[in-house]
Amino acid sequence: MRILVIEDEAKTAKFLQKGLGENGFVVDVAGDGLDGLHMAQEVEFDLVILDVMIPSLDGWQVLSRLRHSGRQMPVLFLTARDAVHERVRGLELGADDYLVKPFAFSELLARARSLLRRTPPRGQEAIRMADLEIDLLRQRATRAGHRLELTSKEFLLLSVLARRAGEVLSRTLIAESVWDMNFDSDTNVVDVNVRRLRSKVDDPFPLKLIHTVRGAGYVMESQA
């Protein structure tokens, strides 16, 4: 697994590089936003650890440009700011997790491993169903030759459904696989996100691939 750390504080960057390296990861470091963005666009990293307050381009700009260019690797934000609106902003831009400085390395490592567990393994490169193609390595999906503009969470949700095509997946299993959370029956996060995914994957096309199984969950299959 290869991780990119974009962090301008040399002491913190060295600390992360050493700690992650000791835990079996290959770690590259960039000291500013421009260098970090260039590296993230040129190399297939499994995870980016991104500080918000960095020179040349801040973390918001780096993340926005990464997502705009189609790079969907998981991103863990590091920041000294703990305001709710800033955390929300990061998540809306496409961040996958958020850790406030100062932090314990054990927590960062746990969060990094959690994000990496959700990433499709590199052993399987692509999934095809009807006119849907999912490129797991590049984290891109197309339907009838048209690129689907998916967020990182939407892509992960699609991958989970597609990898177990024909199998009815419960909301609990989906929540654990995509959000690493225990499903709360009072929370409709799974239904809301499946609805959003359908609006991109199914609604524009005559053949529907994502189906609701009442009282059980969701299944992905071609019923044509």
Side-chain angles (χ1 to χ4, degrees):
M1 290 286 187
R2 190 168 184 179
I3 296 176
L4 172 62
V5 175
I6 307 177
E7 168 64 70
D8 66 316
E9 294 179 5
K11 185 176 180 180
T12 300
K14 185 176 181 180
F15 167 70
L16 291 175
Q17 187 173 37
K18 181 175 185 294
L20 291 167
E22 289 174 348
N23 281 274
F25 298 103
V26 176
V27 184
D28 294 271
V29 175
D32 64 58
L34 277 176
D35 286 345
L37 177 63
H38 176 74
M39 292 172 67
Q41 290 177 327
E42 294 297 320
V43 179
E44 291 286 345
F45 289 102
D46 298 287
L47 173 67
V48 174
I49 298 176
L50 174 61
D51 188 18
V52 173
M53 302 306 295
I54 48 178
S56 67
L57 293 175
D58 63 29
W60 314 120
Q61 294 170 304
V62 172
L63 178 59
S64 179
R65 295 190 187 188
L66 273 179
R67 296 306 190 223
H68 184 72
S69 68
R71 306 296 274 181
Q72 298 297 333
M73 73 282 279
V75 173
L76 170 61
F77 256 142
L78 294 181
T79 182
R81 300 180 174 184
D82 193 24
V84 172
H85 73 274
E86 292 189 343
R87 280 181 284 165
V88 169
R89 180 184 179 189
L91 295 172
E92 287 180 340
L93 284 173
D96 297 272
D97 204 351
Y98 203 103
L99 191 58
V100 177
K101 296 179 179 180
F103 55 84
F105 179 76
S106 57
E107 181 180 3
L108 179 139
L109 182 61
R111 288 174 182 261
R113 285 174 169 165
S114 176
L115 291 174
L116 290 167
R117 280 198 302 270
R118 304 179 211 169
T119 304
R122 292 182 179 271
Q124 185 177 8
E125 295 185 0
I127 299 174
R128 293 176 177 82
M129 177 182 292
D131 56 355
L132 173 68
E133 294 189 10
I134 304 171
D135 186 331
L136 298 174
L137 294 184
R138 296 178 177 82
Q139 296 198 8
R140 298 177 181 177
T142 60
R143 184 97 197 256
H146 299 285
R147 174 79 175 271
L148 302 177
E149 297 297 331
L150 304 177
T151 67
S152 57
K153 281 291 188 292
E154 289 168 347
F155 183 85
L156 179 56
L157 175 57
L158 178 64
S159 300
V160 168
L161 292 168
R163 286 173 63 84
R164 302 177 69 165
E167 180 181 347
V168 178
L169 304 184
S170 69
R171 290 170 175 80
T172 299
L173 188 150
I174 293 172
E176 290 175 349
S177 300
V178 178
W179 290 274
D180 197 30
M181 59 179 276
N182 294 321
F183 181 70
D184 184 342
S185 59
D186 294 329
T187 301
N188 65 346
V189 62
V190 174
D191 297 325
V192 168
N193 281 274
V194 168
R195 193 178 307 125
R196 289 174 179 168
L197 182 62
R198 276 175 164 161
S199 72
K200 299 178 180 181
V201 174
D202 274 349
D203 289 356
F205 306 95
L207 178 63
K208 310 307 178 187
L209 300 177
I210 302 172
H211 308 278
T212 303
V213 180
R214 185 168 297 179
Y218 296 96
V219 61
M220 188 166 185
E221 60 184 356
S222 172
Q223 297 181 348

